[in-house]
Amino acid sequence: MSTNIDKLHDDHHHTPTGIMRWITTTNHKDIGSMYLWFSLIMFFVGGLMALVIRAELFQPGLQLVVPGFFNQMTTMHALVMIFGAVMPAFVGLANWQLPIMIGAPDMALPRLNNWSFWILPFAFTMMLSTLFMDSGGPAAGWTLYPPLSLQGGDSFPYTILAIHMLGLSSILGAINVIATILNMRAPGMTLMKMPIFVWTWLITAFLLIASMPVLAGAVTMLLTDKFFGTMFFTASGGGDPVMFQHIFWFFGHPEVYILILPAFGIVSTIIPAFSRKRLFGYDSMVYATASIALLSFIVWAHHMFTVGMPLAGEIFFMFTTMLIAIPTGVKVFNWVATMWRGSMTFETPMLFAIAFIVLFTIGGFSGLMLAMVPADFQYHDTYFVVAHFHYVLVPGAVFAIMAAVYYWLPKWTGKMYNEGLGKLHFWLTTIFVNLTFFPMHFVGLAGMPRRIPDYAVQFADFNAIASVGAFGFGLSQLVFVYILFNTLKKDVTAEDKVWDGAEGLEWTLSSPPPYHSFEEAPKVD
Amino acid sequence: MSSFKKTYLSLTLFTLFMFSFSYMLVPLYDIFCEITGLNGKTNQTKVLTVRENPTERFVTVKFTSTVANSAPFTFEPIDREIIVQVGKINNTFYTLTNNTETVKHATASPSVVPHEDAEYFKKIECFCFSQQQINGLETKELPLQFIIDNELPNDTRTLILSYTMFNTTDQMGSK
Amino acid sequence: MRISNILLMVIFPVTAFAEWETNMPRGVTPTSEVAYDLHMLIFYITVVIGILVFGAMLYSIIYHRKSLGHEPAKFHESTKVEIIWTVIPFIILVGMAVPATKALIMMEDTRDSEITLKVTGYQWMWQYEYLEDNVTFFSKIDTESNTARRLNSGVDVKNVNNYLRNVDNAVVLPINTKVRILLTANDVIHAWWVPELGGKKDAIPGYVNEIWVDIQEPGTYRGQCAELCGKDHGFMPIVVHAVSKPEYYKWVGIQKTNKFAKNK
């Protein structure tokens, strides 16, 4: 083992308190907590932007904002939610859970871990500050397609720089995760004995390293096209705006699997715990996850079916996209088989995990419909697409994150959250999430395009329902915040094994675990 | 080297490789376009050796033009539609007028539909991607000499060539 | 009850003119019909799969619970079962891929069109050029909608005729005629989309894309720009009047005469 542990022993007696503790900490538990709090704040920031959008779309006609600002809101909402809420939340869960699940004392590179986190508040301060510039924030969509994105005002270089910083944070974090998992498992924990959440994060980390640098390349090309005379995306110089889309989505598709694979790992952990039954088909689940990751590199153009690709290209990407439904379906079947003939109880984590399976699968169905190119010509750039990705991201990724927080919060803090309030949060959230996003399937099919601040009168009803749902959803999250603060005020009462069906090394530690845990590697059989 | 260091080294190299890969996609994209004719990119290198081999087959070729970014040009094909013998060299031209009083630079970008037939539209002499200097209120003739390759699929009866003219006066040189 | 009353009062004025449309139109062209039929096929298949999977989950949730005293079973793997639920979905996908590929090949075949309409997307309007007849014009959102849509315009949009879906100069096309539509753009990427005519392609500056339509029913068909193109992306609608061939040629004649008159 490295000398990092010896160093930890020395610093142990000099751990600072107050604000300096958080700025200089190299402890995976501290850093995990910081990622999670940051993610929660950004979730509300992004949520506020969503409410501006839904408030404007509540009725036809423009009541609140000018179209240019509306485009800034849709752009920033996506950037904040993807890079500020969902990804940092998963990294926070990785930081807290990976070392204690594999019996390691900390992450492989604790100081790099600290830097990876602290890049984020700086990057987002810069990105969000562009909203206050004269020319406003970025408004070309989070996908930044040229030539439109090249028309961007003063915000443009700051947005690009912020994206570079976010990418760096993710890549450094991913290197840390892989090094930790490959080198620091307790003796006896072979790869096929690892908890499934560790597997999904290992694979996610490889996706991050493969895809984030490509995003960096793409946005750098945008930057040099605008300021340094390159012609990557301008036809007059022999360039092609569509080439940006290819490069962007080569990153973009693995990115959406980055946003969901850790969620799969969480659900694969929680369902067995509350079914009191081992995960069905552990080996299959690992292979399915790896297949999804590999396939994710050859489906990217399904985001671009209307650009004018050759027929052969359209057919190829249609087939590969359909293919990716198979390992995903296998995972759903394995979860159901885990529940089948189990002995289930329905505490809050389990409720969120079950809702995940149902609602994510609905998102998967609309995804399969989108894969069919002739039909996609009618769906592309409509609210049908918006419905699809919000189903896989909100009752998908976000529900998994909430499930994980409810599941592991008693372990992290030693304090039990109020189960009644947890269930209330769950039911309100689930009802409102469906009220918000299900009608979007309808208006999309009926012909409403995306990214418009105003719409024709025939779309009014379902938009009104969606807006009511969105406000309900937002308010319901205040219940979650209340639960968190309420829990933290309580006394430490939780047992080591908080949930009687839970398995894994983390449940052998106290709740909360010691600041430094597994300084001696545990025995794994 | 410890297993940690091996991990860091290989992952860092992989990261750097993927960053350079995004730049590699640029020429790869062009090569792919040439092979498949995606986006109607006709061969950008002009055909150097031409063998006329007229066939009995005739196709319709239409010409159209677009001025990009509302540039102060008038840009029109002289022929809107011609019947062309496959395998024979043809000549036509576009006219470009500078509607301002100051000198401008302009560059045209071609596109052919159907995309999959673009590779059979072989240009011998054209003004694609070459920057034109045009004085204030001047009108220029931009010649185009082309041949439709005999290998053109049998069921294609119409080809459409489109040029988009860009005002490249402020740009730092183009091809 | 109070809150729901208020909500109804707020929503109701709008609902007077709104529709509860939940599905894609079948449309009036071979391409729109083939897209709709494929859409419904896949939809029904996913409904069946959903009923089976969610049904199994529901059964399990009701009967396999600790509170009923159900003891957990011990099984946790089965290669046979994994193979079955990999192969069966694969077969279903192949079943979907066949009609989808056939439909796609048909949709991408623009050969032997009678008329060519070139569409150029601008920020924020469309330009139409009928290549064979050399008729060109711009098409913008109509004044009534354009005034009503301003922030705090004071106009009640439900009283505006075809709000946001009306233009000053509409496209006119003949029915029962294969029309090839070329797409390009002046500035940024746009997309031309009329749902009832089927097909959608991006309009990309410097490049030309193409789709085809063969409108079977006379009527007025409305669409919108379908690619974010800046602040007024939502305000550049499309209107197509499909008329009989004689009426179409009469209209073309008028356009040409007007052009002569303008150029005199």
Side-chain angles (χ1 to χ4, degrees):
Chain A
M1 285 289 222
S2 73
T3 57
N4 283 341
I5 303 168
D6 302 281
K7 275 238 165 142
L8 281 169
H9 279 295
D10 290 327
D11 297 335
H12 184 75
H13 303 291
H14 312 288
T15 317
T17 51
I19 192 104
M20 284 312 285
R21 168 180 167 189
W22 299 102
I23 293 179
T24 61
T25 180
T26 56
N27 182 292
H28 74 99
K29 302 181 177 82
D30 279 353
I31 293 171
S33 299
M34 287 198 290
Y35 268 108
L36 289 167
W37 282 116
F38 177 78
S39 155
L40 184 65
I41 294 169
M42 297 308 290
F43 182 58
F44 278 96
V45 169
L48 221 62
M49 295 171 179
L51 292 182
V52 170
I53 294 169
R54 286 312 326 166
E56 181 54 72
L57 292 176
F58 179 52
Q59 288 181 302
L62 283 179
Q63 294 86 28
L64 297 170
V65 297
V66 291
F69 184 73
F70 184 88
N71 291 346
Q72 291 175 41
M73 286 290 98
T74 50
T75 306
M76 284 299 223
H77 163 73
L79 287 168
V80 166
M81 286 305 205
I82 293 169
F83 295 106
V86 175
M87 287 171 81
F90 283 136
V91 177
L93 292 171
N95 261 290
W96 251 109
Q97 290 304 120
L98 295 181
I100 62 179
M101 279 174 149
I102 63 175
D106 208 293
M107 299 291 286
L109 291 162
R111 221 171 318 165
L112 191 70
N113 206 11
N114 173 294
W115 295 342
S116 300
F117 170 73
W118 279 109
I119 291 175
L120 296 185
F122 284 103
F124 275 100
T125 305
M126 180 162 55
M127 198 194 284
L128 291 169
S129 72
T130 62
L131 287 170
F132 299 100
M133 293 177 169
D134 279 338
S135 53
W142 84 279
T143 48
L144 297 172
Y145 285 359
L148 181 64
S149 56
L150 296 174
Q151 290 182 343
D154 296 329
S155 65
F156 181 75
Y158 297 101
T159 309
I160 305 298
L161 182 57
I163 290 175
H164 273 298
M165 292 172 76
L166 297 172
L168 190 65
S169 164
S170 291
I171 292 169
L172 296 176
I175 292 178
N176 221 341
V177 164
I178 294 175
T180 308
I181 295 174
L182 292 184
N183 295 309
M184 293 172 71
R185 278 167 288 128
M189 186 179 281
T190 59
L191 285 174
M192 293 310 265
K193 280 206 188 134
M194 291 199 305
I196 189 87
F197 179 67
V198 181
W199 258 115
T200 57
W201 242 113
L202 179 64
I203 294 172
T204 303
F206 275 106
L207 285 180
L208 276 164
I209 297 182
S211 63
M212 296 296 311
V214 177
L215 174 67
V219 300
T220 308
M221 290 182 212
L222 279 179
L223 193 73
T224 57
D225 259 28
K226 178 132 175 122
F227 294 115
F228 299 111
T230 57
M231 291 264 146
F232 290 108
F233 310 123
T234 320
S236 62
D240 187 349
V242 173
M243 184 174 69
F244 175 85
Q245 296 185 34
H246 282 290
I247 303 176
F248 179 86
W249 285 114
F250 188 84
F251 143 79
H253 197 80
E255 166 66 21
V256 313
Y257 288 102
I258 288 165
L259 296 173
I260 205 65
L261 291 188
F264 288 164
I266 291 165
V267 171
S268 297
T269 308
I270 292 178
I271 298 280
F274 293 90
S275 306
R276 293 164 181 75
K277 198 158 150 284
R278 277 176 64 179
L279 178 68
F280 187 88
Y282 171 92
D283 288 19
S284 270
M285 292 298 249
V286 172
Y287 298 136
T289 310
S291 311
I292 291 171
L294 286 170
L295 280 172
S296 75
F297 284 101
I298 56 170
V299 299
W300 78 86
H302 68 226
H303 299 271
M304 305 161 50
F305 278 140
T306 61
V307 289
M309 258 191 285
L311 179 64
E314 290 176 338
I315 293 177
F316 173 79
F317 285 107
M318 176 165 73
F319 288 170
T320 54
T321 305
M322 290 169 76
L323 217 60
I324 219 168
I326 294 184
T328 315
V330 164
K331 292 184 91 73
V332 173
F333 301 142
N334 276 284
W335 288 322
V336 178
T338 307
M339 292 165 72
W340 191 261
R341 291 178 53 206
S343 179
M344 286 189 274
T345 52
F346 301 96
E347 290 88 331
T348 309
M350 183 61 160
L351 291 174
F352 273 107
I354 292 175
F356 173 98
I357 299 175
V358 175
L359 299 173
F360 173 82
T361 300
I362 290 178
F365 288 150
S366 57
L368 185 59
M369 292 167 78
L370 286 162
M372 317 305 292
V373 183
D376 183 66
F377 288 150
Q378 298 285 51
Y379 308 137
H380 178 76
D381 241 283
T382 67
Y383 262 81
F384 191 77
V385 179
V386 179
H388 159 70
F389 65 71
H390 280 97
Y391 260 85
V392 291
L393 283 175
V394 186
V398 173
F399 272 31
I401 292 167
M402 291 181 176
V405 170
Y406 281 107
Y407 184 61
W408 282 313
L409 189 67
K411 167 58 59 186
W412 300 333
T413 60
K415 306 173 186 189
M416 272 311 289
Y417 64 87
N418 181 312
E419 182 59 46
L421 283 178
K423 289 198 165 84
L424 175 69
H425 172 230
F426 167 74
W427 284 109
L428 286 174
T429 301
T430 300
I431 290 170
F432 283 118
V433 91
N434 282 293
L435 216 60
T436 308
F437 296 114
F438 205 76
M440 293 186 184
H441 293 107
F442 301 142
V443 289
L445 290 177
M448 181 178 172
R450 287 173 72 169
R451 295 167 162 173
I452 55 176
D454 191 4
Y455 48 79
V457 163
Q458 70 253 38
F459 304 128
D461 294 305
F462 287 126
N463 269 289
I465 295 176
S467 291
V468 168
F471 274 85
F473 180 85
L475 288 170
S476 305
Q477 304 324 304
L478 296 177
V479 176
F480 182 60
V481 176
Y482 175 77
I483 293 172
L484 287 176
F485 283 105
N486 187 36
T487 310
L488 293 172
K489 279 195 305 208
K490 293 185 180 190
D491 294 326
V492 172
T493 55
E495 315 195 339
D496 294 2
K497 196 169 180 188
V498 177
W499 312 104
D500 77 87
E503 298 290 334
L505 282 175
E506 73 265 38
W507 307 104
T508 64
L509 297 170
S510 60
S511 305
Y515 194 59
H516 298 296
S517 45
F518 291 129
E519 291 184 310
E520 292 279 322
K523 267 275 162 72
V524 172
D525 26 60
Chain B
M1 201 193 283
S2 80
S3 65
F4 283 91
K5 288 225 172 84
K6 274 198 216 133
T7 312
Y8 304 142
L9 186 62
S10 49
L11 292 178
T12 308
L13 285 175
F14 185 41
T15 306
L16 294 171
F17 172 74
M18 288 313 290
F19 181 74
S20 60
F21 181 73
S22 66
Y23 279 89
M24 285 192 255
L25 284 175
V26 180
L28 280 174
Y29 183 74
D30 273 340
I31 293 170
F32 196 75
C33 285
E34 268 178 49
I35 298 174
T36 63
L38 177 148
N39 266 335
K41 278 180 147 168
T42 55
N43 302 335
Q44 279 158 282
T45 50
K46 296 175 216 169
V47 176
L48 294 171
T49 52
V50 182
R51 273 192 1 252
E52 268 199 304
N53 199 355
T55 66
E56 292 301 301
R57 203 176 145 197
F58 290 85
V59 293
T60 307
V61 179
K62 300 189 203 226
F63 298 93
T64 177
S65 60
T66 307
V67 173
N69 296 308
S70 309
F73 300 140
T74 305
F75 176 57
E76 298 286 346
I78 203 75
D79 291 310
R80 300 184 59 80
E81 180 178 320
I82 55 180
I83 311 288
V84 155
Q85 190 173 10
V86 173
K88 193 162 171 302
I89 294 177
N90 300 277
N91 288 287
T92 182
F93 58 92
Y94 279 70
T95 59
L96 172 68
T97 305
N98 179 350
N99 297 325
T100 71
E101 291 178 353
T102 48
V103 69
K104 293 273 180 276
H105 292 97
T107 313
S109 152
S111 187
V112 170
V113 284
H115 295 323
E116 60 268 22
D117 296 326
E119 53 178 309
Y120 304 105
F121 192 105
K122 291 185 152 46
K123 296 197 227 74
I124 304 154
E125 199 53 53
C126 74
F127 50 95
C128 323
F129 302 114
S130 54
Q131 183 153 273
Q132 311 289 326
Q133 183 172 308
I134 181 163
N135 294 317
L137 300 175
E138 184 190 347
T139 298
K140 275 180 109 155
E141 275 181 11
L142 303 171
L144 170 66
Q145 189 177 68
F146 67 94
I147 184 169
I148 306 294
D149 192 294
N150 295 15
E151 300 295 307
L152 180 75
N154 285 325
D155 44 21
T156 303
R157 288 172 269 280
T158 309
L159 292 165
I160 305 181
L161 171 66
S162 169
Y163 272 104
T164 306
M165 188 61 78
F166 291 84
N167 180 353
T168 49
T169 309
D170 298 322
Q171 270 153 31
M172 301 191 247
S174 48
K175 281 196 226 153
Chain C
M1 289 316 289
R2 281 277 168 95
I3 301 172
S4 64
N5 282 347
I6 294 169
L7 278 175
L8 274 169
M9 276 165 57
V10 171
I11 298 172
F12 183 77
V14 177
T15 61
F17 283 81
E19 295 150 29
W20 296 91
E21 191 53 64
T22 56
N23 203 359
M24 189 193 285
R26 190 150 190 269
V28 295
T29 67
T31 48
S32 70
E33 285 165 9
V34 107
Y36 176 84
D37 292 339
L38 185 64
H39 154 74
M40 290 310 288
L41 172 68
I42 312 302
F43 172 67
Y44 288 136
I45 293 175
T46 60
V47 166
V48 169
I49 297 174
I51 290 174
L52 291 171
V53 174
F54 301 151
M57 282 178 77
L58 189 61
Y59 183 92
S60 192
I61 288 170
I62 295 173
Y63 291 105
H64 302 151
R65 36 168 81 205
K66 184 158 179 240
S67 59
L68 288 180
H70 192 275
E71 286 296 306
K74 294 276 188 253
F75 68 84
H76 61 266
E77 61 185 356
S78 161
T79 310
K80 189 172 80 174
V81 148
E82 300 284 357
I83 291 176
I84 292 175
W85 65 38
T86 306
V87 168
I88 292 183
F90 184 77
I91 293 171
I92 296 175
L93 288 181
V94 170
M96 291 178 188
V98 171
T101 309
K102 279 207 189 112
L104 186 56
I105 292 172
M106 178 265 228
M107 287 180 95
E108 297 287 21
D109 182 358
T110 56
R111 289 169 305 171
D112 300 324
S113 306
E114 276 180 59
I115 297 175
T116 311
L117 173 67
K118 183 174 163 208
V119 175
T120 306
Y122 279 72
Q123 282 173 314
W124 288 279
M125 63 191 119
W126 298 98
Q127 182 188 38
Y128 297 108
E129 185 184 339
Y130 291 74
L131 285 195
E132 288 79 16
D133 291 301
N134 201 8
V135 170
T136 310
F137 56 88
F138 279 95
S139 179
K140 286 194 188 122
I141 187 173
D142 75 324
T143 323
E144 206 193 342
S145 288
N146 205 21
T147 321
R149 63 98 162 184
R150 302 281 162 190
L151 186 60
N152 300 319
S153 65
V155 179
D156 188 348
V157 301
K158 70 180 198 299
N159 293 328
V160 174
N161 187 29
N162 283 303
Y163 179 62
L164 297 187
R165 294 202 140 200
N166 222 0
V167 298
D168 51 4
N169 302 312
V171 171
V172 177
L173 288 176
I175 57 169
N176 296 319
T177 312
K178 189 169 182 179
V179 178
R180 174 193 232 137
I181 300 179
L182 299 183
L183 297 158
T184 187
N186 171 62
D187 33 46
V188 298
I189 301 179
H190 301 264
W192 197 82
W193 183 47
V194 181
E196 285 162 296
L197 301 184
K200 177 192 291 139
K201 280 275 156 71
D202 290 350
I204 301 168
Y207 293 94
V208 172
N209 273 333
E210 53 173 1
I211 61 172
W212 67 273
V213 298
D214 186 345
I215 307 173
Q216 306 294 302
E217 292 285 325
T220 301
Y221 305 107
R222 302 174 190 274
Q224 292 183 249
C225 178
E227 182 61 56
L228 178 65
C229 55
K231 68 178 175 71
D232 282 348
H233 161 61
F235 305 104
M236 41 185 291
I238 298 156
V239 177
V240 176
H241 291 311
V243 299
S244 68
K245 266 210 172 89
E247 279 178 74
Y248 167 73
Y249 282 112
K250 196 166 116 195
W251 173 84
V252 171
I254 295 172
Q255 302 310 305
K256 285 177 155 166
T257 322
N258 287 346
K259 200 164 126 184
F260 270 127
K262 265 195 274 180
N263 288 344
K264 279 224 172 96

